Amino acid sequence: MRTYHCFWLLFWAGQPHQSFLTPLSKRTSGFPEKEKVLVLSGNSRQDLHRSKRSWMWNQFFLLEEYTGTDYQYVGKLHSDQDKGDGSLKYILSGDGAGDLFIINENTGDIQATKRLDREEKPVYILRAQAINRRTGRPVEPESEFIIKIHDINDNEPMFTKDVYNASIPEMSDVGTFVVQVTATDADDPTYGNSAKVVYSILQGQPYFSVESETGIIKTALLNMDRENREQYQVVIQAKDMGGQMGGLSGTTTVNITLTDVNDNPPRFPQSTYQFRAPESTPLDSPVGRIKANDADVDENAEIEYSITEGDGYDMFGITTDKDTQEGIITVKKALDFESKNLYILKVEATNTHVDPRFLYLGPFKDSATVRIQVEDVDEPPMFSRPAYIMEVKEDVPLNSIIGTVTAQDPDAAKNPVKYSVDRHTDMDRIFNINSGNGSIFTSKPLDRETLLWHNITVIAAEINNPKQSSRVPVFIKVLDVNDNAPEFPMFYETFVCENAKAEQLIQTLSAVDKDDSYNGHQFSFSLAPEAASSSNFTLQDNRDNTAGIFTRKTRYNRHETSTYFLPVVISDNDYPIQSSTETVTIRVCACDHRGKMLSCNAEALIHPTGLSTGALIAILLCIIILLVTVVLFAALRRQRKKEPLIISKEDIRDNIVSYNDEGGGEEDTQAFDIGTLRNPEAIDDNKLRRDIVPETLFMPRRTATARDNTDVRDFINQRLKENDTDPTAPPYDSLATYAYEGNGSVAESLSSLESVTTDGDQDYDYLSDWGPRFKKLADMYGSMDSDKDS
């Protein structure tokens, strides 16, 4: 028969207790009469099953934010296999096990070690197990249970925004929706009233109200006027616990702005405006500005101005400045003080956007009277016309009057006017004008064929005030007169074949005329009287402004007469008739049977004088060959003159090389090879000179190795001898300096510093043996010794 084991979990439910160190049997106060026990069955992986009883629970409850000094007691694990001998060990695992929740492994008591926050984690899932201490094997299957944290009211309501901004139109009805505020409470909404929020208004009455449950703010006062007050600040409170005493609360600020509606008509601040305008005011120029005030803003304050009536209705106009909403009065027609000096207008200002809801407040427009006084100014003379057009024949005599211009002073004074011609428009001074009456006359001959139109400017100025002047253009058209004879449009030069037949057409003539003809030109052609009877050619007028030249005989001989000159008379049909005599040149040429010219004295007509293309190409080739020959010859001569550098005049130099540089001492290795002087054995390294490049490379000569104790003077002499006999040396003299102090001196050191260190006096008598160069030194030191002896 199978044996079933049970795993018991005892727990406390309700309020936390003061002490958790007493045995479980002493912790039963406040519990139900029958102890509540949770029977934990095996998990799905175990074969153990146990039927659930009706009083079994599956979760425990703990209060959050426990403030006691001891650990909060959760409950007790107990197995029916526990004999009380300590052989069993209770183990707890899952959320917070070992850290947040600890278990007494001997007794199975579970405690919470830290304060629990439901808002941080509302539910903990744990697993319990009992094992045999000796074998480590479980005596009960692992069971799972839940610890749920009971909520307390420890969170105040929080609004979704710190500041709300809203706007409504002014003059809104009571109960108009403004904005909805929302506050949330982090406490458990399913447990008690900790999360039940109620809204109330702390600031903003009596203008606004708030619904306690929804947080909807509405208007509470009728006809709130933006022009009186535009901004409102409302403070809303959200309180939990259903608004009851002891609940927590939070606040937010709602900034409410009243937006404008067109509830104010425009109004002129004054009923009459007065302006002054000089009569010389240009068209479309402003005369003055008026403005109607409107308490509204933006489009509700936009105003449109108009002139409704007045005696200057057509003289002036008014427009609206969109930036300033001012009415700008402008001049539409030219003002004239002498004609009318006062205008009275009625101007109306109207709102462009009218709200029908507020029409009961009255018409949304206003009117005012505008008086405009025209001021007199000294005006320049005015011509009777804006421009003058005159005509004159080209053969008119000098000083002939061709027209008159008229100008008057428009002012009441009617000052006299004088006239003149702007010479910038008549540089040749072809025209003049009478300064008193404005009559224009010619001063030079006119020629239509040279210039058809003359555009001049006439100036009219007041005699008393020459600065007051005006100008008018005068267009003078020169009318044509038949003063030019017709002529050939080109020079006619033709030929006739020797074998020509009689009455053969050899040339067609035409004519042109510089004169203008309204009905078209009608030219007539004829031979000159002196050639009409004796000429070998005849002329036929075609009556269409052309004529043809025909042969009169059958054959011509170019050897007898090679050229004929045929005079032709051309006349027009205008009045007076003009005619001219033109000459046609006719050359006699040999032709083939088809009439094609072969040769004649007038070959220039067909073949222009010059060379043929082949001849030109031949000449160009000869010139190119000649140029190439000259270039090659010059190159050869230049190469012959080129000589080796060694014998060039420029290279054979007798220069004086100056060595006036103190040098850098023994460290200056660029001047000479100091290593050679220090090491005489290095004389075998015969290096080539670096200052020239010899044309022939000679093998370096081997020299005998100097002895270690070779005197420097002998070494230098040997080097000089080698340079003199060296064929690779340059052909100019050079000075090689070998400045070598040597390894030591026979006299050793002459320093007085070293002499001081000696114990006894030195004997300088040996200086007398060094020769005359050291005589002065020997006398100096010798005298010192003699003094010392004395």
Side-chain angles (χ1 to χ4, degrees):
M1 186 173 183
R2 182 174 298 179
T3 303
Y4 292 92
H5 304 280
C6 61
F7 189 34
W8 302 82
L9 175 62
L10 306 179
F11 64 94
W12 291 102
Q15 298 297 328
H17 300 269
Q18 297 297 324
S19 178
F20 302 96
L21 301 178
T22 58
L24 183 60
S25 59
K26 297 181 181 180
R27 299 175 178 267
T28 58
S29 96
F31 277 74
E33 182 179 355
K34 180 181 286 188
E35 188 181 32
K36 294 183 174 66
V37 179
L38 173 65
V39 179
L40 302 178
S41 62
N43 56 25
S44 59
R45 294 174 296 177
Q46 302 294 331
D47 294 330
L48 299 176
H49 298 278
R50 184 179 180 87
S51 61
K52 295 182 180 180
R53 300 173 182 172
S54 59
W55 42 266
M56 294 179 181
W57 292 0
N58 60 355
Q59 63 182 13
F60 309 134
F61 296 91
L62 285 180
L63 287 178
E64 65 171 335
E65 304 296 342
Y66 170 70
T67 58
T69 57
D70 298 326
Y71 291 160
Q72 187 177 5
Y73 187 78
V74 178
K76 182 182 181 67
L77 290 178
H78 184 74
S79 174
D80 58 359
Q81 299 294 321
D82 190 357
K83 305 302 182 181
D85 55 359
S87 62
L88 294 185
K89 179 181 179 181
Y90 297 96
I91 299 176
L92 189 66
S93 62
D95 295 340
D99 179 22
L100 183 58
F101 299 103
I102 60 175
I103 188 172
N104 188 320
E105 61 181 17
N106 295 321
T107 64
D109 293 328
I110 303 174
Q111 292 176 316
T113 62
K114 299 179 181 178
R115 294 173 59 182
L116 302 178
D117 188 359
R118 189 202 66 84
E119 287 72 36
E120 181 179 348
K121 189 176 178 62
V123 175
Y124 294 87
I125 301 176
L126 298 172
R127 291 180 298 277
Q129 193 174 29
I131 63 174
N132 189 293
R133 285 182 180 275
R134 186 175 57 82
T135 62
R137 294 181 180 179
V139 298
E140 295 285 353
E142 188 179 56
S143 298
E144 185 178 271
F145 62 95
I146 298 174
I147 299 177
K148 186 174 182 181
I149 309 301
H150 260 315
D151 182 51
I152 64 172
N153 190 18
D154 59 343
N155 290 279
E156 69 275 6
M158 300 291 292
F159 283 92
T160 56
K161 294 181 181 179
D162 294 334
V163 177
Y164 289 82
N165 295 301
S167 62
I168 58 169
E170 62 175 331
M171 311 299 288
S172 296
D173 296 333
V174 174
T176 301
F177 174 84
V178 179
V179 70
Q180 183 177 11
V181 297
T182 303
T184 58
D185 196 316
D187 293 324
D188 190 359
T190 64
Y191 181 77
N193 294 327
S194 298
K196 186 178 181 180
V197 178
V198 174
Y199 300 94
S200 60
I201 184 168
L202 300 181
Q203 176 183 323
Q205 295 174 333
Y207 306 102
F208 301 95
S209 63
V210 63
E211 292 184 357
S212 60
E213 295 182 357
T214 61
I216 295 176
I217 301 175
K218 297 181 180 180
T219 57
L221 190 64
L222 185 64
N223 295 333
M224 287 188 292
D225 193 0
R226 185 199 65 85
E227 286 72 33
N228 293 331
R229 182 177 177 182
E230 184 177 2
Q231 299 287 339
Y232 295 86
Q233 190 176 73
V234 178
V235 178
I236 302 297
Q237 181 189 65
K239 190 174 184 181
D240 59 12
M241 297 296 292
Q244 298 177 5
M245 185 177 296
L248 303 178
S249 64
T251 60
T252 187
T253 301
V254 183
N255 295 322
I256 302 174
T257 303
L258 296 183
T259 59
D260 186 59
V261 298
N262 192 8
D263 58 340
N264 294 279
R267 291 288 181 265
F268 283 106
Q270 59 193 66
S271 60
T272 303
Y273 295 85
Q274 292 189 2
F275 300 103
R276 292 181 177 272
E279 61 177 335
S280 59
T281 303
L283 298 182
D284 298 326
S285 297
V287 174
R289 289 172 174 256
I290 61 176
K291 180 175 174 54
N293 297 325
D294 194 325
D296 298 320
V297 294
D298 298 332
E299 68 174 14
N300 296 320
E302 291 181 1
I303 301 174
E304 188 177 73
Y305 297 90
S306 61
I307 299 175
T308 57
E309 58 183 61
D311 51 4
Y313 181 82
D314 58 341
M315 296 293 296
F316 300 93
I318 188 168
T319 58
T320 302
D321 188 334
K322 299 300 183 182
D323 295 330
T324 62
Q325 295 300 314
E326 292 178 315
I328 305 173
I329 301 175
T330 58
V331 178
K332 291 175 60 178
K333 292 184 179 181
L335 303 177
D336 187 7
F337 174 82
E338 290 72 24
S339 299
K340 188 174 180 60
N341 57 15
L342 178 63
Y343 295 91
I344 299 176
L345 309 174
K346 184 178 181 181
V347 178
E348 188 174 79
T350 307
N351 276 139
T352 56
H353 299 84
V354 179
D355 194 336
R357 297 178 300 169
F358 304 103
L359 289 177
Y360 67 92
L361 297 176
F364 280 76
K365 59 183 178 180
D366 194 15
S367 61
T369 301
V370 178
R371 299 169 57 90
I372 301 176
Q373 183 73 42
V374 180
E375 296 179 341
D376 186 26
V377 295
D378 189 6
E379 299 176 273
M382 294 183 60
F383 284 94
S384 59
R385 300 179 189 175
Y388 292 86
I389 299 177
M390 301 178 182
E391 294 181 347
V392 59
K393 290 187 177 182
E394 61 179 327
D395 61 346
V396 69
L398 297 181
N399 299 322
S400 298
I401 296 176
I402 61 176
T404 302
V405 296
T406 304
Q408 291 183 352
D409 183 9
D411 298 323
K414 300 297 180 183
N415 293 322
V417 177
K418 64 177 181 179
Y419 303 92
S420 61
V421 176
D422 187 355
R423 290 305 173 188
H424 292 92
T425 61
D426 185 23
M427 303 292 292
D428 297 329
R429 295 180 176 270
I430 299 175
F431 301 95
N432 261 326
I433 190 169
N434 189 308
S435 62
N437 58 21
S439 59
I440 300 173
F441 56 90
T442 60
S443 59
K444 288 184 179 181
L446 302 176
D447 186 9
R448 188 201 69 85
E449 288 71 35
T450 302
L451 186 60
L452 177 61
W453 284 92
H454 294 271
N455 302 328
I456 65 174
T457 299
V458 175
I459 303 173
E462 295 181 7
I463 295 177
N464 299 333
N465 187 10
K467 292 183 179 180
Q468 292 294 336
S469 62
S470 57
R471 296 167 176 263
V472 67
V474 179
F475 306 103
I476 302 173
K477 182 180 181 181
V478 181
L479 301 179
D480 184 48
V481 175
N482 191 24
D483 57 348
N484 291 280
E487 58 188 1
F488 286 151
M490 66 183 72
F491 176 71
Y492 285 107
E493 186 174 16
T494 185
F495 70 95
V496 62
C497 295
E498 288 182 312
N499 57 356
K501 297 178 181 180
E503 302 298 328
Q504 183 178 342
L505 178 65
I506 62 173
Q507 183 65 48
T508 300
L509 305 177
S510 63
V512 294
D513 195 335
K514 295 180 180 178
D515 293 324
D516 190 13
S517 177
Y518 297 102
N519 299 321
H521 292 289
Q522 294 292 329
F523 300 124
S524 60
F525 300 86
S526 63
L527 292 178
E530 65 273 11
S533 59
S534 62
S535 176
N536 293 309
F537 302 92
T538 60
L539 181 67
Q540 179 180 339
D541 192 344
N542 297 327
R543 305 299 180 181
D544 60 354
N545 293 335
T546 64
I549 300 177
F550 294 86
T551 58
R552 176 173 284 184
K553 61 181 183 179
T554 302
R555 295 188 63 85
Y556 296 86
N557 192 338
R558 60 173 173 160
H559 299 292
E560 294 178 359
T561 303
S562 60
T563 305
Y564 294 93
F565 297 98
L566 186 66
V568 178
V569 179
I570 312 172
S571 302
D572 56 21
N573 292 328
D574 293 332
Y575 179 82
I577 297 176
Q578 300 287 341
S579 63
S580 65
T581 301
E582 302 287 333
T583 301
V584 179
T585 302
I586 304 173
R587 298 186 184 276
V588 181
C589 302
C591 304
D592 57 12
H593 65 280
R594 295 189 299 272
K596 183 178 181 181
M597 183 179 63
L598 297 178
S599 64
C600 61
N601 294 333
E603 291 186 38
L605 293 175
I606 306 300
H607 303 289
T609 303
L611 298 175
S612 63
T613 304
L616 291 175
I617 294 175
I619 291 174
L620 290 176
L621 289 175
C622 291
I623 293 175
I624 293 173
I625 293 173
L626 182 61
L627 290 175
V628 172
T629 303
V630 171
V631 172
L632 292 176
F633 179 75
L636 290 174
R637 289 198 60 186
R638 190 171 182 179
Q639 188 166 358
R640 288 179 181 177
K641 289 183 179 181
K642 187 176 181 180
E643 295 178 353
L645 181 62
I646 195 64
I647 60 175
S648 174
K649 279 187 176 182
E650 296 180 358
D651 289 331
I652 301 177
R653 294 170 289 178
D654 188 7
N655 298 332
I656 298 176
V657 181
S658 176
Y659 295 87
N660 57 357
D661 189 4
E662 182 178 352
E666 295 184 358
E667 298 300 327
D668 187 0
T669 60
Q670 299 297 324
F672 52 83
D673 190 2
I674 193 67
T676 303
L677 294 178
R678 292 180 176 175
N679 186 13
E681 285 78 3
I683 60 176
D684 292 338
D685 298 334
N686 291 301
K687 298 180 180 179
L688 297 179
R689 296 180 63 89
R690 292 179 292 174
D691 54 349
I692 62 171
V693 179
E695 293 186 358
T696 306
L697 183 62
F698 292 89
M699 295 299 294
R701 296 180 293 104
R702 305 292 295 181
T703 57
T705 304
R707 301 185 306 276
D708 294 342
N709 57 355
T710 300
D711 188 79
V712 172
R713 182 174 57 184
D714 296 340
F715 168 74
I716 293 175
N717 291 334
Q718 181 181 356
R719 275 304 198 193
L720 291 175
K721 183 177 179 180
E722 292 175 358
N723 287 329
D724 292 338
T725 59
D726 188 0
T728 63
Y732 51 84
D733 294 337
S734 62
L735 177 62
T737 302
Y738 296 88
Y740 183 68
E741 184 180 355
N743 293 328
S745 174
V746 177
E748 297 180 347
S749 175
L750 301 180
S751 172
S752 61
L753 295 177
E754 188 177 357
S755 302
V756 176
T757 59
T758 58
D759 297 331
D761 296 331
Q762 295 186 11
D763 186 8
Y764 298 100
D765 293 337
Y766 59 86
L767 295 175
S768 301
D769 301 332
W770 285 7
R773 293 187 178 182
F774 295 88
K775 184 176 183 306
K776 183 68 176 176
L777 189 62
D779 293 340
M780 293 173 60
Y781 281 85
S783 63
M784 290 176 61
D785 294 339
S786 62
D787 292 339
K788 192 179 296 185
D789 295 338
S790 63

